[in-house]
Amino acid sequence: MFRRTTMIFAAMMLTAGTAYADPIEGNWRTQSGETAAIGDCGGGYCITLKTGKHKGKGIGKVSAQGGGQYSGTITDPATDKTYSGKATLTGGSMKMRGCVLGGLICRSQTWTKQ
């Protein structure tokens, strides 16, 4: 009986990870109106545009820092320039920030969860 209970518990733990996706995962409406998909890509979360002129283009990768904070890189799809990036989740919105020169020059956008 103990062995059977242990096996059931182990199976539940293996499937529990897929049921609880990270809040950053999903589709997001960018400030310019395009849709970006964020999904687990091994060691972080990859950001890919799903609509618009640059549809299908990967535009970044971030890793969780805790407390709704993420950091990594963000790429401007129009210029292909990559910046250090941060994302901060607050409810159904996310502030994306890309910086150069150690944070001296930054641009931010607010995205909303779809």
Side-chain angles (χ1 to χ4, degrees):
M1 179 71 168
F2 178 74
R3 184 175 182 184
R4 182 174 180 217
T5 303
T6 303
M7 294 298 282
I8 290 171
F9 179 74
M12 286 173 47
M13 293 305 290
L14 287 173
T15 59
T18 58
Y20 298 105
D22 194 281
I24 199 169
E25 290 185 274
N27 292 325
W28 293 85
R29 173 81 54 198
T30 69
Q31 197 165 303
S32 62
E34 298 170 329
T35 299
I38 301 179
D40 187 356
C41 61
Y45 300 95
C46 291
I47 307 166
T48 305
L49 290 174
K50 291 181 68 177
T51 62
K53 181 179 177 181
H54 302 286
K55 178 180 177 180
K57 193 171 201 173
I59 60 166
K61 183 175 181 178
V62 294
S63 298
Q65 302 300 305
Q69 304 287 318
Y70 298 81
S71 65
T73 58
I74 306 293
T75 301
D76 181 341
T79 63
D80 282 331
K81 291 184 180 180
T82 300
Y83 306 95
S84 65
K86 293 186 178 193
T88 304
L89 291 178
T90 307
S93 68
M94 175 172 54
K95 183 176 181 180
M96 298 290 290
R97 182 177 170 146
C99 300
V100 296
L101 299 174
L104 288 174
I105 302 171
C106 300
R107 278 189 7 196
S108 297
Q109 288 190 4
T110 300
W111 295 6
T112 54
K113 187 94 179 224
Q114 292 186 317

